[in-house]
Amino acid sequence: MNRRMYELGSRRSVIREIFEYGKKRAQQEGKDKVFDFSLGNPSVAPPAIVKETLLRLLQEEEPTALHGYTSAQGDLAVRRAIAAYIEKTQGVEADADYIYMTCGAAASLTISLSAICNAGDEVIAFAPYFTEYKVFAETAGARLVPLASDPETFQIDVSLLEKAISADTAAVIVNSPNNPSGVVYSEETVGKLAALLDKKSREYGRTIYIVTDEPYRELVYGGVKVPYLTKYYKNTVVCYSYSKSLSLPGERIGYIFVSPQAENAKELYLAVCGAGRALGYVCAPSLFQKTIAACQGVTADVSVYEKNRDLLADALRSYGYRLVKPDGAFYLFVRALEEDAYAFCERAKRYGLLLVPGDDFGCAGYVRIAYCVSPDMISRSLPYFKKLAEDYGKSID
Ligand code: PLP
């Protein structure tokens, strides 16, 4: 058998491990004793239009067409609806011929990196980063090169990036709003990034692509704007998903948008189609392609996450925890109260608090807290976060 695949299959991710532990402990001790902040599973229901559209499609559409294969790159009417929405909201040129429907952001990323990379290439990601990037990059034959971010803001450290880019750099992954830091890259950061990649592409005589990973685009708070990367850098491939915005992670639906401004954009799009084919994605789920086409511009009620963020971030700060209050997504990335984040998470478990060590996100000494949970659970967990801080001698206001 293939050794790499065996290893990927036999080692559960730390997040899954904690999640399973939480389920077992809740069974033993009762649900109210466990505060599971491990998983990024949306806690708000999909908007009503999702169910209405599903029912309408099931009632009105001819079943063999509704449930049948669509073209490999996705249903044309669906791709047109998405392209029109991108044009309207972002003011950039978009076209159905540059949209490829996928089974969510994970598929979008694996396909895009496989379309771009050749054996021996490097893909740069900014720590903290989504743990699966390494798997996706290696599946594409490339090596993931993690780079530290500015520790005060978690914005991209452009001078560090300048040193890290080499003749082997094929792509840079940009995830904003970020999992796990929740940070949104500012227009200033994005502008500097684009200028540097233009310069380095010229210097090395090869196109360095930006691959954006944006399942959290709509999960932003306080009116923060998330810059649309194709406006700043033409060689951009956008990886989008409806998992978080419409609370549909189990339905596996998203898309890739290749910027029509990219060099050889048509060939790049065909490489995306080829990578999808090589990886065995025949077409994205037909019923959900057609459903999301009717839901453009709609999101689940993400205001709940903003309330959770404020409640948790403000309380934790007052207990002496250090964190950058995030502008988006639904995670807090908090400095552990001892150097070893694993040991800190073990201690947190004594209070029923299930947190994820930052090491797997490329950032030792931090923990991730997924606050896509009920506000009630957050309120009930706060005394325990306070006790945990007191264990470390933090003075409490
Ligand atoms: N990228 C990031 C940053 C994520 O947090 C996730 C899921 O949590 C994914 C990609 C995968 O998303 P999807 O469910 O759309 O495949």
Side-chain angles (χ1 to χ4, degrees), residues 12 16 47 97 99 151 229 251 267 275 282 292 306 316 326 361:
R12 240 195 330 229
R16 287 274 156 193
D97 290 345
I99 305 274
L229 266 292
E251 305 301 352
E267 282 86 346
V282 177
I292 60 90
E306 182 166 11
L316 292 194
F361 302 99

Side-chain angles (χ1 to χ4, degrees), residues 46-55 246 291 294-296 298-299:
I49 189 176
V50 169
K51 188 170 171 185
E52 286 158 18
T53 309
L54 281 166
L55 292 175
L246 287 175
T291 303
C295 301
Q296 295 301 301
V298 183
T299 67

Side-chain angles (χ1 to χ4, degrees), residues 31-229:
K31 267 188 170 172
D32 57 330
K33 299 281 188 314
V34 180
F35 307 101
D36 186 350
F37 293 103
S38 64
L39 215 56
N41 213 6
S43 56
V44 296
I49 189 176
V50 169
K51 188 170 171 185
E52 286 158 18
T53 309
L54 281 166
L55 292 175
R56 178 176 57 74
L57 289 169
L58 288 166
Q59 268 163 2
E60 292 175 7
E61 298 293 311
E62 202 275 307
T64 51
L66 182 61
H67 300 294
Y69 293 121
T70 67
S71 23
Q73 66 269 44
D75 180 81
L76 180 59
V78 173
R79 289 183 288 123
R80 280 191 176 139
I82 292 170
Y85 182 69
I86 294 172
E87 284 201 327
K88 187 175 92 182
T89 52
Q90 304 301 340
V92 298
E93 180 196 344
D95 191 287
D97 290 345
Y98 294 94
I99 305 274
Y100 181 95
M101 301 306 297
T102 65
C103 300
S108 301
L109 288 159
T110 320
I111 293 171
S112 299
L113 292 175
S114 298
I116 289 169
C117 296
N118 287 288
D121 279 344
E122 291 178 349
V123 173
I124 294 177
F126 305 103
Y129 58 86
F130 181 55
T131 47
E132 295 298 280
Y133 290 165
K134 187 167 182 308
V135 180
F136 301 156
E138 288 174 2
T139 298
R143 188 171 77 84
L144 189 78
V145 179
L147 273 194
S149 302
D150 180 327
E152 294 305 316
T153 60
F154 287 127
Q155 294 284 323
I156 295 170
D157 183 336
V158 180
S159 58
L160 212 58
L161 176 62
E162 177 147 26
K163 289 184 205 122
I165 294 174
S166 76
D168 293 328
T169 307
V172 174
I173 302 177
V174 174
N175 172 217
S176 173
N178 182 275
N179 172 9
S181 73
V183 157
V184 173
Y185 296 138
S186 65
E187 191 167 23
E188 188 191 346
T189 300
V190 166
K192 284 187 191 161
L193 171 69
L196 176 64
L197 294 186
D198 269 332
K199 186 178 107 177
K200 288 289 180 182
S201 294
R202 277 197 304 277
E203 193 178 316
Y204 287 113
R206 70 175 290 181
T207 305
I208 302 172
Y209 293 93
I210 288 183
V211 175
T212 70
D213 176 19
E214 30 192 84
Y216 301 97
R217 166 163 286 281
E218 288 81 11
L219 275 64
V220 283
Y221 316 120
V224 167
K225 295 266 176 295
V226 184
Y228 202 71
L229 266 292

